[in-house]
Amino acid sequence: MAAAATASTASTASAADTTSSNMSPALDRFSVSIGALNADTSFQLGVNTTSGRYETPSYDGERVTIPRVRADFLLGHSQGISLDYYRYDKSYSSNLNGSTTLNGQPLSGTAALAAKARLEIGQVAYKWWMGQGSDVVGLGLGAAYYRATVDGTVTGSVTGTALPGLSASDSDSFQRSTFAPLLEIGWRHAFSPSTRMFAEASGIKKNGGSINGHIYTATIGAEWFPVENVGIVADYGISRISLTRDLGREDSAQLNLRLNGPSVYLKARF
């Protein structure tokens, strides 16, 4: 029995070695990355109110820190599951100019807008990796869940042919969440067991419903593992986000957001 057990153990180890040898050194069996994106942002918000439509100018050059968590699981040596979560949270204020019509008469106004925007995005994709050497290319299909919260308060005055002058205060807020299809493509290269490089891009697009829009992201980065199971990931990414809440012609709001900047993660692999 001891000989049988020894043979069984050797067989299992051999199978594990075979499975491991089929896996590219550019991939991990399981990994978790926790870090943050330090982004240079461009933000623009438009809202419809009872006194007209108002839009903020584009805010450029403000930097924000966005927490992010990522995880990857391999199933076999060429397929796996990828998870990603991050959250953007920021307050803005601006002086606005707007125009509209009331009973066929043109109106114009000036106002101040105080706005707060939060966007949470979670993604899950099933990935196929092609290649077993130092280079692999991956294709991922999945779904993204995103929740947008926007609160805006407009205070100001409206004037026009039909109105000698009107002071107004109005607010618009919404919270909407939805699922959208996700497409990912990626490339990974292993220079050595401790040093790797990667590039990836993803697209989310949702049409119809009360909230729709798109989110496009591209990233390039590198990984370094000073010890076998713990490493540092640094990358640079660009994201373009455009979301619209549409409940009818007189009730809509739009959020446009651009994020550019580096990210740093602590990565554990097993």
Side-chain angles (χ1 to χ4, degrees), residues 6 29 34 45 57 73 94 101 115 122 135 143 167 171 179 184 192 251:
T6 302
R29 179 65 57 193
I34 300 175
L45 175 67
F73 307 83
S94 176
T101 59
D135 288 277
S167 295
S171 63
F179 288 91
E184 293 183 342
S192 70
D251 188 3

Side-chain angles (χ1 to χ4, degrees), residues 22 24 72 76 98 130 142 218 236 254:
N22 289 332
S24 167
D72 290 279
M130 293 161 279
Y236 189 92
Q254 186 173 32

Side-chain angles (χ1 to χ4, degrees), residues 25-26 134 189-197 223-225 269:
S134 297
H189 173 76
F191 296 100
S192 70
S194 62
T195 308
R196 300 190 294 205
M197 182 179 181
E223 302 176 347
W224 175 58
F225 291 86
R269 63 178 181 177

Side-chain angles (χ1 to χ4, degrees), residues 35-91:
L37 164 66
N38 182 244
D40 180 28
T41 65
S42 175
F43 171 91
Q44 194 272 330
L45 175 67
V47 296
N48 281 350
T49 74
T50 55
S51 58
R53 179 171 179 82
Y54 292 94
E55 295 185 352
T56 68
S58 180
Y59 287 88
D60 296 311
E62 293 193 64
R63 300 203 71 86
V64 297
T65 299
I66 300 172
R68 193 166 189 173
V69 179
R70 310 184 72 174
D72 290 279
F73 307 83
L74 266 188
L75 307 173
H77 62 269
S78 62
Q79 299 180 43
I81 297 173
S82 175
L83 304 172
D84 191 3
Y85 171 83
Y86 60 97
R87 185 185 74 193
Y88 171 84
D89 198 341
K90 187 67 176 177
S91 297

Side-chain angles (χ1 to χ4, degrees), residues 74-218:
L74 266 188
L75 307 173
H77 62 269
S78 62
Q79 299 180 43
I81 297 173
S82 175
L83 304 172
D84 191 3
Y85 171 83
Y86 60 97
R87 185 185 74 193
Y88 171 84
D89 198 341
K90 187 67 176 177
S91 297
Y92 297 87
S93 61
S94 176
N95 293 320
L96 310 173
N97 292 307
S99 61
T100 187
T101 59
L102 178 64
N103 298 326
Q105 299 294 326
L107 301 176
S108 62
T110 60
L113 171 65
K116 183 175 183 179
R118 169 179 285 188
L119 178 63
E120 296 178 85
I121 300 174
Q123 301 175 190
V124 57
Y126 195 93
K127 283 189 174 180
W128 292 262
W129 292 100
M130 293 161 279
Q132 296 180 357
S134 297
D135 288 277
V136 292
V137 176
L139 177 66
L141 297 175
Y145 171 83
Y146 56 89
R147 180 170 61 185
T149 303
V150 175
D151 296 299
T153 301
V154 179
T155 57
S157 61
V158 180
T159 60
T161 305
L163 297 172
L166 174 66
S167 295
S169 177
D170 203 351
S171 63
D172 183 33
S173 65
F174 71 88
Q175 182 180 94
R176 292 289 186 276
S177 59
T178 189
F179 288 91
L182 166 69
L183 174 64
E184 293 183 342
I185 187 169
W187 164 80
R188 301 185 67 86
H189 173 76
F191 296 100
S192 70
S194 62
T195 308
R196 300 190 294 205
M197 182 179 181
F198 63 90
E200 55 194 20
S202 65
I204 303 168
K205 190 170 180 62
K206 172 73 163 54
N207 294 323
S210 61
I211 183 169
N212 56 79
H214 61 261
I215 302 172
Y216 302 132
T217 302

